[in-house]
Amino acid sequence: MHRYHYNLFPCQNRLLQMQYDKAAYQRHMDGVRKARPKVDTSSPQTFIHLHLKPKKLQLEEERLAIIERDNRLLLEKMSTIMRKQSRVDNVNNYEPKSLNREKRQRELLKVTRDNKSMMERIISRSSMRQEREWEADWQRNLAYMDSISRYPTGWWEKEKTSMSLQSQNRGGSSRDGGRERTSKRSGGGGNSSNRSRGYDSGSFASTSKGDESEKSGENRSQADMQQQ
């Protein structure tokens, strides 16, 4: 293997040079593995007092202890009261009375009278609006507007009514024309039916007579056909 080893620098013994190169490479790899970064990328240090907060826990325990003590004292007092008979009679048999009841009633009556008098004044007051004069003034203004305007008032409504009347007249005339056409058609049909009836009677008469009458009947039927 040492014969195929490539040396960067000239040497006397290739075998020894190969061993030297391997040892140097091994030292280099060990240094790479043992190298430490210059930038600290590790997690920051955790402080227990920031997570547990012992001061807060201490205050909470003290508060609970105070509450427990107060509850115990209150329970002892209540039990003592229940065991012993009370010395003070705290039953109230009197009705509550108001010291300013009459004054409030007088004020309420006064307010009621004032409201009633105000309502009477409002109702008895006549209206200040002059509706008739306003109406006359408005009619006068309309007359002035008609006199100075180019078109009369409500001209568009008149046009609408005239157009509707024209459409109605057109519809009536069209219906009358249709009726006349149908009557003419019915009259023509009656004539043809009468003619057909005459033709049938002539043919019936020709069959009842002799040979001479048959010829005359055929001539008549041909004349009738030509007339049709």
Side-chain angles (χ1 to χ4, degrees), residues 16 18 26 37 52 106 158 167 172 177 199 207:
L16 294 176
M18 183 181 67
Q26 191 66 30
L52 295 178
R106 288 195 300 270
K158 295 179 181 179
S167 62
Y199 177 75
T207 54

Side-chain angles (χ1 to χ4, degrees), residues 109-220:
L109 292 173
K110 182 180 178 182
V111 171
T112 305
R113 286 195 300 270
D114 294 341
N115 291 336
K116 186 177 180 180
S117 61
M118 186 182 296
M119 181 62 69
E120 290 177 355
R121 290 196 300 272
I122 292 171
I123 293 171
S124 62
R125 185 67 177 176
S126 61
S127 178
M128 297 296 293
R129 297 185 302 177
Q130 300 175 358
E131 297 180 356
R132 294 182 179 179
E133 293 182 1
W134 291 355
E135 183 66 24
D137 192 9
W138 173 243
Q139 295 296 333
R140 194 181 305 108
N141 291 333
L142 288 177
Y144 292 156
M145 291 168 63
D146 291 337
S147 63
I148 64 176
S149 61
R150 183 175 182 180
Y151 298 100
T153 305
W155 59 271
W156 58 89
E157 296 180 355
K158 295 179 181 179
E159 288 186 357
K160 288 181 181 178
T161 53
S162 62
M163 291 175 67
S164 62
L165 291 173
Q166 290 178 3
S167 62
Q168 290 177 2
N169 294 330
R170 290 176 183 175
S173 62
S174 63
R175 286 195 295 272
D176 294 338
R179 290 176 183 175
E180 291 178 358
R181 291 175 184 174
T182 53
S183 63
K184 288 180 180 180
R185 290 177 182 176
S186 62
N191 295 328
S192 62
S193 63
N194 293 328
R195 290 173 184 175
S196 62
R197 288 176 184 174
Y199 177 75
D200 294 337
S201 62
S203 62
F204 179 75
S206 63
T207 54
S208 63
K209 293 181 180 180
D211 296 334
E212 294 178 358
S213 61
E214 287 179 359
K215 292 180 181 180
S216 62
E218 289 177 358
N219 294 328
R220 291 176 183 175

